[in-house]
Amino acid sequence: MPTPNKPLPKKSASGSKKPLVYGAVIVVAAGLLGFASYRATAPDNSPSAETAPAAEVSADPQSGIYPELAKLARRDAGDKLAVGRADAPVVLIEYADFKCGYCGKFARDTEPELIKEYVEDGTLRIEWRNFPIFGEESENAARAAWAAGQQDRFWEFHAAAYAEGAKEKGFAKDRVEALAREAGVKDLARFMKDLDGEAARAAVAKDQEQAYGIGATSTPSFLINGRPIAGAQPKETFTQAIETAAEQAKTTGKAGAGTTGDAAEASEGSRDSEGSEDSRDSAK
């Protein structure tokens, strides 16, 4: 079976080119995300495209859940790139690229419904991770999103950048400034300065390194309380995973079921179409 093309791990601030490793679970998670990524991008006439869905959520609440990955939820109440209560029982982490067409589909079609159904009632928290894999403009858009977040306009920028036809116009400096204006960013001079600052570069690099560390090779990739899901799956895949995780949280009596008790402590210092895109696919 072919595997999706992988972006090369970027050199981190420490000089390491190796992805982060979360124990032996990295091998399993990488396999799951890699297989789902291939399934989501497989040609329609591929034999594997007809044999199994791109992602499955077992009725067994423990199946497919990896506690080491659940710990990646930051649960930081001051996180500008998150929505929902910090103590919500379920955390969905999304690794995405603004030039990714499938990410745009998820942002427009599925994420708003998840927010309405689960974030607003306190069940779900969504934490964004910038995972730019399509080159310079992806990096530019990621840093711009972070900069908009510093003025509490991340989600407004997110909506503008994922609007129909937005990515076709590109994410050059003049375009991200126009998107920031559309998003209601008040201090555009500060926005442009933050966009090119070291803090923005470091924040994006940290998210990107984490994505490589869990074995993600394409966008969008997700973790729901430690359950890997790759691609803009149908809404039902997400609702089933969220509801399963929420039920498990009730039985354990903990926010973020599947995590260990110090998951929140570790983070204190610190949104119906199948598909995913990898670094060598064209962003459609």
Side-chain angles (χ1 to χ4, degrees):
M1 176 184 295
T3 56
N5 296 317
K6 297 180 181 180
L8 295 175
K10 294 201 172 184
K11 196 170 184 178
S12 70
S14 65
S16 171
K17 291 183 180 180
K18 295 181 180 179
L20 301 177
V21 177
Y22 303 100
V25 72
I26 185 63
V27 177
V28 179
L32 286 171
L33 286 168
F35 173 71
S37 296
Y38 168 69
R39 281 283 306 111
T41 55
D44 291 340
N45 60 355
S46 168
S48 66
E50 301 174 359
T51 58
E56 293 181 352
V57 178
S58 170
D60 179 355
Q62 298 292 342
S63 177
I65 295 174
Y66 302 93
E68 291 301 311
L69 300 184
K71 292 178 185 179
L72 296 177
R74 292 170 183 164
R75 294 186 175 278
D76 179 357
D79 188 346
K80 305 287 190 180
L81 278 60
V83 62
R85 292 172 46 165
D87 63 349
V90 184
V91 178
L92 182 156
I93 303 174
E94 177 185 2
Y95 301 89
D97 185 317
F98 285 102
K99 283 184 69 67
C100 162
Y102 289 122
C103 300
K105 281 285 285 183
F106 177 78
R108 292 188 299 271
D109 299 344
T110 304
E111 195 163 37
E113 295 187 26
L114 297 182
I115 289 175
K116 184 176 181 179
E117 294 180 28
Y118 299 107
V119 174
E120 291 181 4
D121 74 359
T123 299
L124 179 67
R125 173 177 175 83
I126 298 176
E127 296 185 356
W128 171 271
R129 304 286 191 269
N130 278 301
F131 187 25
I133 60 174
F134 290 104
E136 184 178 350
E137 286 202 354
S138 290
E139 295 266 358
N140 205 39
R143 286 186 278 110
W146 182 91
Q150 303 316 293
Q151 298 187 51
D152 298 314
R153 305 304 285 180
F154 168 77
W155 290 105
E156 291 79 4
F157 183 94
H158 175 278
Y162 276 138
E164 284 283 4
K167 77 180 182 64
E168 284 75 16
K169 297 177 182 178
F171 295 108
K173 291 290 180 66
D174 59 336
R175 274 294 297 149
V176 295
E177 184 176 15
L179 289 169
R181 187 179 294 108
E182 181 181 342
V185 174
K186 292 184 178 179
D187 189 339
L188 290 175
R190 175 191 168 189
F191 167 82
M192 295 303 288
K193 182 178 179 180
D194 286 346
L195 162 64
D196 282 328
E198 286 304 312
R201 296 179 189 278
V204 170
K206 179 180 179 180
D207 286 356
Q208 189 177 48
E209 184 171 279
Q210 186 181 97
Y212 284 127
I214 66 167
T217 60
S218 62
T219 54
S221 290
F222 306 89
L223 295 176
I224 299 180
N225 278 14
R227 183 193 299 277
I229 294 176
Q233 303 297 330
K235 177 189 169 187
E236 291 72 24
T237 298
F238 293 96
T239 58
Q240 188 177 349
I242 291 165
E243 290 174 7
T244 298
E247 283 301 312
Q248 187 183 12
K250 288 179 183 178
T251 62
T252 61
K254 295 179 182 178
T259 69
T260 59
D262 46 5
E265 290 179 21
S267 66
E268 278 303 317
S270 17
R271 261 174 172 284
D272 91 51
S273 172
E274 294 184 357
S276 63
E277 299 187 19
D278 64 43
S279 64
R280 296 183 192 178
D281 284 336
S282 57
K284 298 179 182 177

mmCIF file of all heavy atoms in Angstrom, residues 238-280:
data_model
loop_
_atom_site.group_PDB
_atom_site.id
_atom_site.type_symbol
_atom_site.label_atom_id
_atom_site.label_comp_id
_atom_site.label_asym_id
_atom_site.label_seq_id
_atom_site.Cartn_x
_atom_site.Cartn_y
_atom_site.Cartn_z
ATOM 1 N N PHE A 238 -16.668 12.746 14.214
ATOM 2 C CA PHE A 238 -16.294 13.617 15.332
ATOM 3 C C PHE A 238 -17.308 13.539 16.464
ATOM 4 O O PHE A 238 -16.925 13.468 17.643
ATOM 5 C CB PHE A 238 -16.135 15.055 14.848
ATOM 6 C CG PHE A 238 -14.980 15.241 13.915
ATOM 7 C CD1 PHE A 238 -15.166 15.218 12.539
ATOM 8 C CD2 PHE A 238 -13.695 15.415 14.393
ATOM 9 C CE1 PHE A 238 -14.097 15.367 11.665
ATOM 10 C CE2 PHE A 238 -12.615 15.566 13.536
ATOM 11 C CZ PHE A 238 -12.817 15.543 12.170
ATOM 12 N N THR A 239 -18.602 13.551 16.133
ATOM 13 C CA THR A 239 -19.607 13.514 17.191
ATOM 14 C C THR A 239 -19.522 12.218 17.982
ATOM 15 O O THR A 239 -19.637 12.226 19.215
ATOM 16 C CB THR A 239 -21.028 13.696 16.620
ATOM 17 O OG1 THR A 239 -21.302 12.673 15.666
ATOM 18 C CG2 THR A 239 -21.192 15.055 15.965
ATOM 19 N N GLN A 240 -19.263 11.107 17.284
ATOM 20 C CA GLN A 240 -19.152 9.837 17.990
ATOM 21 C C GLN A 240 -17.951 9.831 18.926
ATOM 22 O O GLN A 240 -18.030 9.367 20.068
ATOM 23 C CB GLN A 240 -19.061 8.672 17.010
ATOM 24 C CG GLN A 240 -19.134 7.312 17.690
ATOM 25 C CD GLN A 240 -19.124 6.155 16.697
ATOM 26 O OE1 GLN A 240 -19.257 6.354 15.493
ATOM 27 N NE2 GLN A 240 -18.959 4.944 17.204
ATOM 28 N N ALA A 241 -16.816 10.350 18.431
ATOM 29 C CA ALA A 241 -15.613 10.394 19.268
ATOM 30 C C ALA A 241 -15.811 11.319 20.459
ATOM 31 O O ALA A 241 -15.378 11.014 21.586
ATOM 32 C CB ALA A 241 -14.420 10.850 18.432
ATOM 33 N N ILE A 242 -16.441 12.472 20.239
ATOM 34 C CA ILE A 242 -16.677 13.434 21.319
ATOM 35 C C ILE A 242 -17.609 12.846 22.365
ATOM 36 O O ILE A 242 -17.360 12.929 23.574
ATOM 37 C CB ILE A 242 -17.246 14.753 20.751
ATOM 38 C CG1 ILE A 242 -16.175 15.476 19.927
ATOM 39 C CG2 ILE A 242 -17.757 15.655 21.879
ATOM 40 C CD1 ILE A 242 -16.722 16.593 19.042
ATOM 41 N N GLU A 243 -18.704 12.231 21.910
ATOM 42 C CA GLU A 243 -19.673 11.683 22.857
ATOM 43 C C GLU A 243 -19.109 10.495 23.620
ATOM 44 O O GLU A 243 -19.372 10.324 24.819
ATOM 45 C CB GLU A 243 -20.963 11.327 22.120
ATOM 46 C CG GLU A 243 -21.709 12.579 21.659
ATOM 47 C CD GLU A 243 -22.929 12.281 20.807
ATOM 48 O OE1 GLU A 243 -23.288 11.084 20.675
ATOM 49 O OE2 GLU A 243 -23.519 13.241 20.278
ATOM 50 N N THR A 244 -18.294 9.682 22.940
ATOM 51 C CA THR A 244 -17.646 8.563 23.630
ATOM 52 C C THR A 244 -16.702 9.082 24.708
ATOM 53 O O THR A 244 -16.681 8.581 25.840
ATOM 54 C CB THR A 244 -16.870 7.687 22.631
ATOM 55 O OG1 THR A 244 -17.786 7.129 21.684
ATOM 56 C CG2 THR A 244 -16.130 6.556 23.339
ATOM 57 N N ALA A 245 -15.922 10.108 24.366
ATOM 58 C CA ALA A 245 -14.981 10.687 25.333
ATOM 59 C C ALA A 245 -15.722 11.346 26.492
ATOM 60 O O ALA A 245 -15.292 11.251 27.648
ATOM 61 C CB ALA A 245 -14.090 11.711 24.636
ATOM 62 N N ALA A 246 -16.844 12.009 26.198
ATOM 63 C CA ALA A 246 -17.618 12.657 27.254
ATOM 64 C C ALA A 246 -18.202 11.626 28.224
ATOM 65 O O ALA A 246 -18.212 11.835 29.447
ATOM 66 C CB ALA A 246 -18.731 13.506 26.645
ATOM 67 N N GLU A 247 -18.680 10.503 27.677
ATOM 68 C CA GLU A 247 -19.217 9.442 28.532
ATOM 69 C C GLU A 247 -18.130 8.846 29.408
ATOM 70 O O GLU A 247 -18.349 8.549 30.580
ATOM 71 C CB GLU A 247 -19.862 8.343 27.666
ATOM 72 C CG GLU A 247 -21.222 8.719 27.123
ATOM 73 C CD GLU A 247 -22.226 9.038 28.219
ATOM 74 O OE1 GLU A 247 -22.322 8.245 29.185
ATOM 75 O OE2 GLU A 247 -22.907 10.072 28.117
ATOM 76 N N GLN A 248 -16.952 8.683 28.830
ATOM 77 C CA GLN A 248 -15.850 8.137 29.613
ATOM 78 C C GLN A 248 -15.477 9.091 30.735
ATOM 79 O O GLN A 248 -15.141 8.669 31.847
ATOM 80 C CB GLN A 248 -14.642 7.861 28.727
ATOM 81 C CG GLN A 248 -13.525 7.135 29.473
ATOM 82 C CD GLN A 248 -12.293 6.914 28.622
ATOM 83 O OE1 GLN A 248 -12.179 7.481 27.546
ATOM 84 N NE2 GLN A 248 -11.377 6.113 29.112
ATOM 85 N N ALA A 249 -15.536 10.399 30.452
ATOM 86 C CA ALA A 249 -15.212 11.384 31.476
ATOM 87 C C ALA A 249 -16.186 11.298 32.647
ATOM 88 O O ALA A 249 -15.807 11.487 33.802
ATOM 89 C CB ALA A 249 -15.241 12.787 30.869
ATOM 90 N N LYS A 250 -17.449 11.000 32.349
ATOM 91 C CA LYS A 250 -18.441 10.862 33.424
ATOM 92 C C LYS A 250 -18.105 9.694 34.336
ATOM 93 O O LYS A 250 -18.252 9.772 35.548
ATOM 94 C CB LYS A 250 -19.835 10.650 32.826
ATOM 95 C CG LYS A 250 -20.435 11.880 32.168
ATOM 96 C CD LYS A 250 -21.804 11.548 31.599
ATOM 97 C CE LYS A 250 -22.404 12.736 30.860
ATOM 98 N NZ LYS A 250 -23.728 12.403 30.258
ATOM 99 N N THR A 251 -17.650 8.608 33.736
ATOM 100 C CA THR A 251 -17.365 7.420 34.534
ATOM 101 C C THR A 251 -16.090 7.561 35.354
ATOM 102 O O THR A 251 -15.964 6.986 36.425
ATOM 103 C CB THR A 251 -17.246 6.163 33.656
ATOM 104 O OG1 THR A 251 -16.152 6.312 32.745
ATOM 105 C CG2 THR A 251 -18.521 5.961 32.849
ATOM 106 N N THR A 252 -15.137 8.352 34.849
ATOM 107 C CA THR A 252 -13.884 8.546 35.588
ATOM 108 C C THR A 252 -13.960 9.732 36.522
ATOM 109 O O THR A 252 -13.135 9.878 37.420
ATOM 110 C CB THR A 252 -12.705 8.767 34.628
ATOM 111 O OG1 THR A 252 -12.951 9.951 33.848
ATOM 112 C CG2 THR A 252 -12.522 7.572 33.715
ATOM 113 N N GLY A 253 -14.930 10.624 36.275
ATOM 114 C CA GLY A 253 -15.064 11.804 37.119
ATOM 115 C C GLY A 253 -14.000 12.837 36.885
ATOM 116 O O GLY A 253 -13.723 13.681 37.731
ATOM 117 N N LYS A 254 -13.357 12.764 35.710
ATOM 118 C CA LYS A 254 -12.280 13.706 35.393
ATOM 119 C C LYS A 254 -12.583 14.461 34.123
ATOM 120 O O LYS A 254 -13.165 13.918 33.190
ATOM 121 C CB LYS A 254 -10.946 12.975 35.194
ATOM 122 C CG LYS A 254 -10.402 12.293 36.421
ATOM 123 C CD LYS A 254 -9.102 11.601 36.067
ATOM 124 C CE LYS A 254 -8.522 10.856 37.260
ATOM 125 N NZ LYS A 254 -7.280 10.150 36.899
ATOM 126 N N ALA A 255 -12.169 15.726 34.068
ATOM 127 C CA ALA A 255 -12.171 16.450 32.802
ATOM 128 C C ALA A 255 -11.059 15.871 31.967
ATOM 129 O O ALA A 255 -9.960 15.629 32.460
ATOM 130 C CB ALA A 255 -11.928 17.943 33.037
ATOM 131 N N GLY A 256 -11.353 15.638 30.671
ATOM 132 C CA GLY A 256 -10.319 15.089 29.806
ATOM 133 C C GLY A 256 -10.066 13.636 30.103
ATOM 134 O O GLY A 256 -8.958 13.255 30.463
ATOM 135 N N ALA A 257 -11.104 12.819 30.031
ATOM 136 C CA ALA A 257 -10.940 11.395 30.296
ATOM 137 C C ALA A 257 -9.868 10.816 29.406
ATOM 138 O O ALA A 257 -9.714 11.200 28.261
ATOM 139 C CB ALA A 257 -12.249 10.662 30.055
ATOM 140 N N GLY A 258 -9.124 9.865 29.962
ATOM 141 C CA GLY A 258 -8.041 9.258 29.202
ATOM 142 C C GLY A 258 -6.712 9.898 29.517
ATOM 143 O O GLY A 258 -5.678 9.413 29.121
ATOM 144 N N THR A 259 -6.737 11.019 30.262
ATOM 145 C CA THR A 259 -5.493 11.660 30.661
ATOM 146 C C THR A 259 -5.139 11.195 32.054
ATOM 147 O O THR A 259 -5.953 10.643 32.780
ATOM 148 C CB THR A 259 -5.623 13.200 30.673
ATOM 149 O OG1 THR A 259 -6.503 13.577 31.744
ATOM 150 C CG2 THR A 259 -6.151 13.701 29.363
ATOM 151 N N THR A 260 -3.939 11.478 32.480
ATOM 152 C CA THR A 260 -3.564 11.227 33.855
ATOM 153 C C THR A 260 -3.866 12.478 34.650
ATOM 154 O O THR A 260 -4.104 13.541 34.095
ATOM 155 C CB THR A 260 -2.061 10.901 33.964
ATOM 156 O OG1 THR A 260 -1.311 12.004 33.460
ATOM 157 C CG2 THR A 260 -1.738 9.653 33.179
ATOM 158 N N GLY A 261 -3.829 12.373 35.964
ATOM 159 C CA GLY A 261 -4.234 13.487 36.802
ATOM 160 C C GLY A 261 -3.415 14.734 36.616
ATOM 161 O O GLY A 261 -3.886 15.831 36.892
ATOM 162 N N ASP A 262 -2.155 14.612 36.202
ATOM 163 C CA ASP A 262 -1.345 15.807 36.068
ATOM 164 C C ASP A 262 -1.288 16.320 34.646
ATOM 165 O O ASP A 262 -0.408 17.094 34.301
ATOM 166 C CB ASP A 262 0.072 15.592 36.620
ATOM 167 C CG ASP A 262 0.709 14.308 36.167
ATOM 168 O OD1 ASP A 262 0.111 13.599 35.348
ATOM 169 O OD2 ASP A 262 1.801 14.030 36.655
ATOM 170 N N ALA A 263 -2.217 15.939 33.764
ATOM 171 C CA ALA A 263 -2.218 16.453 32.398
ATOM 172 C C ALA A 263 -2.409 17.953 32.393
ATOM 173 O O ALA A 263 -1.750 18.681 31.656
ATOM 174 C CB ALA A 263 -3.326 15.781 31.582
ATOM 175 N N ALA A 264 -3.355 18.432 33.229
ATOM 176 C CA ALA A 264 -3.608 19.869 33.264
ATOM 177 C C ALA A 264 -2.406 20.599 33.837
ATOM 178 O O ALA A 264 -2.031 21.666 33.369
ATOM 179 C CB ALA A 264 -4.857 20.164 34.097
ATOM 180 N N GLU A 265 -1.770 20.001 34.850
ATOM 181 C CA GLU A 265 -0.606 20.643 35.440
ATOM 182 C C GLU A 265 0.494 20.814 34.414
ATOM 183 O O GLU A 265 1.167 21.831 34.361
ATOM 184 C CB GLU A 265 -0.062 19.801 36.601
ATOM 185 C CG GLU A 265 -0.969 19.809 37.817
ATOM 186 C CD GLU A 265 -0.405 18.945 38.924
ATOM 187 O OE1 GLU A 265 0.816 18.685 38.898
ATOM 188 O OE2 GLU A 265 -1.179 18.527 39.797
ATOM 189 N N ALA A 266 0.681 19.806 33.578
ATOM 190 C CA ALA A 266 1.745 19.852 32.584
ATOM 191 C C ALA A 266 1.514 20.956 31.581
ATOM 192 O O ALA A 266 2.446 21.444 30.964
ATOM 193 C CB ALA A 266 1.834 18.510 31.861
ATOM 194 N N SER A 267 0.251 21.371 31.426
ATOM 195 C CA SER A 267 -0.057 22.368 30.409
ATOM 196 C C SER A 267 -0.184 23.768 30.974
ATOM 197 O O SER A 267 -0.316 24.728 30.229
ATOM 198 C CB SER A 267 -1.359 22.004 29.701
ATOM 199 O OG SER A 267 -2.428 22.089 30.622
ATOM 200 N N GLU A 268 -0.199 23.906 32.293
ATOM 201 C CA GLU A 268 -0.443 25.222 32.861
ATOM 202 C C GLU A 268 0.601 26.217 32.423
ATOM 203 O O GLU A 268 0.345 27.381 32.251
ATOM 204 C CB GLU A 268 -0.473 25.147 34.403
ATOM 205 C CG GLU A 268 -1.807 24.682 34.945
ATOM 206 C CD GLU A 268 -2.966 25.555 34.494
ATOM 207 O OE1 GLU A 268 -2.819 26.789 34.506
ATOM 208 O OE2 GLU A 268 -3.997 25.010 34.130
ATOM 209 N N GLY A 269 1.835 25.734 32.371
ATOM 210 C CA GLY A 269 2.855 26.659 31.944
ATOM 211 C C GLY A 269 2.738 26.897 30.472
ATOM 212 O O GLY A 269 3.481 27.696 29.971
ATOM 213 N N SER A 270 2.115 26.330 30.184
ATOM 214 C CA SER A 270 1.934 26.553 28.673
ATOM 215 C C SER A 270 0.650 27.321 28.315
ATOM 216 O O SER A 270 0.100 27.928 29.257
ATOM 217 C CB SER A 270 1.943 25.229 27.975
ATOM 218 O OG SER A 270 1.782 24.118 28.472
ATOM 219 N N ARG A 271 -11.810 23.456 14.658
ATOM 220 C CA ARG A 271 -13.104 23.629 14.776
ATOM 221 C C ARG A 271 -13.124 22.348 13.689
ATOM 222 O O ARG A 271 -12.305 22.157 13.730
ATOM 223 C CB ARG A 271 -13.622 24.801 14.387
ATOM 224 C CG ARG A 271 -14.050 25.906 14.524
ATOM 225 C CD ARG A 271 -14.476 26.985 14.065
ATOM 226 N NE ARG A 271 -14.863 27.857 14.040
ATOM 227 C CZ ARG A 271 -15.568 28.415 14.071
ATOM 228 N NH1 ARG A 271 -15.949 27.829 14.111
ATOM 229 N NH2 ARG A 271 -15.711 29.098 13.937
ATOM 230 N N ASP A 272 -19.493 17.614 4.570
ATOM 231 C CA ASP A 272 -19.177 16.238 4.956
ATOM 232 C C ASP A 272 -18.510 15.527 3.848
ATOM 233 O O ASP A 272 -19.024 14.863 3.021
ATOM 234 C CB ASP A 272 -20.309 15.562 5.539
ATOM 235 C CG ASP A 272 -21.331 14.776 5.006
ATOM 236 O OD1 ASP A 272 -21.070 13.830 4.282
ATOM 237 O OD2 ASP A 272 -22.442 15.076 5.421
ATOM 238 N N SER A 273 -17.046 16.097 4.407
ATOM 239 C CA SER A 273 -16.286 15.568 3.278
ATOM 240 C C SER A 273 -15.040 14.933 3.826
ATOM 241 O O SER A 273 -14.375 15.513 4.672
ATOM 242 C CB SER A 273 -15.923 16.705 2.334
ATOM 243 O OG SER A 273 -15.048 16.266 1.347
ATOM 244 N N GLU A 274 -14.721 13.734 3.352
ATOM 245 C CA GLU A 274 -13.504 13.095 3.812
ATOM 246 C C GLU A 274 -12.311 13.750 3.151
ATOM 247 O O GLU A 274 -12.386 14.232 2.040
ATOM 248 C CB GLU A 274 -13.522 11.609 3.456
ATOM 249 C CG GLU A 274 -14.604 10.825 4.183
ATOM 250 C CD GLU A 274 -14.519 9.360 3.861
ATOM 251 O OE1 GLU A 274 -13.660 8.990 3.047
ATOM 252 O OE2 GLU A 274 -15.324 8.603 4.416
ATOM 253 N N GLY A 275 -11.174 13.735 3.837
ATOM 254 C CA GLY A 275 -9.972 14.175 3.142
ATOM 255 C C GLY A 275 -8.905 14.704 4.051
ATOM 256 O O GLY A 275 -9.150 15.131 5.159
ATOM 257 N N SER A 276 -7.691 14.668 3.559
ATOM 258 C CA SER A 276 -6.557 15.317 4.180
ATOM 259 C C SER A 276 -5.601 15.668 3.064
ATOM 260 O O SER A 276 -5.710 15.173 1.955
ATOM 261 C CB SER A 276 -5.887 14.390 5.206
ATOM 262 O OG SER A 276 -5.368 13.246 4.582
ATOM 263 N N GLU A 277 -4.669 16.554 3.358
ATOM 264 C CA GLU A 277 -3.728 16.973 2.336
ATOM 265 C C GLU A 277 -2.313 16.877 2.886
ATOM 266 O O GLU A 277 -2.067 17.181 4.041
ATOM 267 C CB GLU A 277 -4.015 18.415 1.900
ATOM 268 C CG GLU A 277 -5.406 18.554 1.317
ATOM 269 C CD GLU A 277 -5.671 19.916 0.724
ATOM 270 O OE1 GLU A 277 -4.680 20.626 0.428
ATOM 271 O OE2 GLU A 277 -6.826 20.259 0.533
ATOM 272 N N ASP A 278 -1.377 16.425 2.059
ATOM 273 C CA ASP A 278 0.003 16.383 2.525
ATOM 274 C C ASP A 278 0.814 17.438 1.793
ATOM 275 O O ASP A 278 0.328 18.174 0.959
ATOM 276 C CB ASP A 278 0.610 14.972 2.393
ATOM 277 C CG ASP A 278 0.719 14.502 0.956
ATOM 278 O OD1 ASP A 278 1.127 15.334 0.121
ATOM 279 O OD2 ASP A 278 0.433 13.332 0.673
ATOM 280 N N SER A 279 2.098 17.518 2.154
ATOM 281 C CA SER A 279 2.914 18.644 1.710
ATOM 282 C C SER A 279 3.170 18.673 0.216
ATOM 283 O O SER A 279 3.527 19.705 -0.329
ATOM 284 C CB SER A 279 4.254 18.633 2.443
ATOM 285 O OG SER A 279 4.967 17.470 2.092
ATOM 286 N N ARG A 280 2.974 17.542 -0.472
ATOM 287 C CA ARG A 280 3.250 17.546 -1.915
ATOM 288 C C ARG A 280 1.980 17.524 -2.740
ATOM 289 O O ARG A 280 2.032 17.513 -3.949
ATOM 290 C CB ARG A 280 4.137 16.349 -2.275
ATOM 291 C CG ARG A 280 5.501 16.459 -1.600
ATOM 292 C CD ARG A 280 6.407 15.327 -2.010
ATOM 293 N NE ARG A 280 7.566 15.278 -1.171
ATOM 294 C CZ ARG A 280 8.516 14.358 -1.290
ATOM 295 N NH1 ARG A 280 8.429 13.413 -2.183
ATOM 296 N NH2 ARG A 280 9.569 14.366 -0.487
#
